[in-house]
Amino acid sequence: MSKATMTSKNQLTVPEEVRRTLHLAPGDRLTFDCGDDGRVVVTKDSPAAEELFQRLKVSKRLSDRELRDARKEAWGSGRARD
């Protein structure tokens, strides 16, 4: 279990274990889903399609396979979402 302390500016430092698990890097965005039972689920946002194209920096049209491979790379080791 990882713990974090909120600062006077309402900021948290994400614990190293969580950063590794979610493959977080500077600039990544997180979503917090608050349950009625007081639990919070934190997930890493998936990059938007526009961000994927910016990361690819290609000027040619991509095949479905190339686009799927790019999604997998951008989203980490998880399965690409079609």
Side-chain angles (χ1 to χ4, degrees), residues 30-57:
L30 301 174
T31 296
F32 297 84
D33 185 18
C34 301
D36 293 335
D37 62 356
R39 294 177 185 248
V40 178
V41 176
V42 180
T43 54
K44 179 179 174 181
D45 286 351
S46 300
E50 183 177 327
E51 183 181 345
L52 287 173
F53 287 116
Q54 289 174 355
R55 287 185 186 184
L56 292 172
K57 296 182 182 175

Side-chain angles (χ1 to χ4, degrees), residues 16-32:
E16 183 178 358
E17 177 184 12
V18 176
R19 292 191 314 262
R20 277 195 318 261
T21 300
L22 295 177
H23 306 285
L24 295 177
D28 284 345
R29 299 177 71 77
L30 301 174
T31 296
F32 297 84

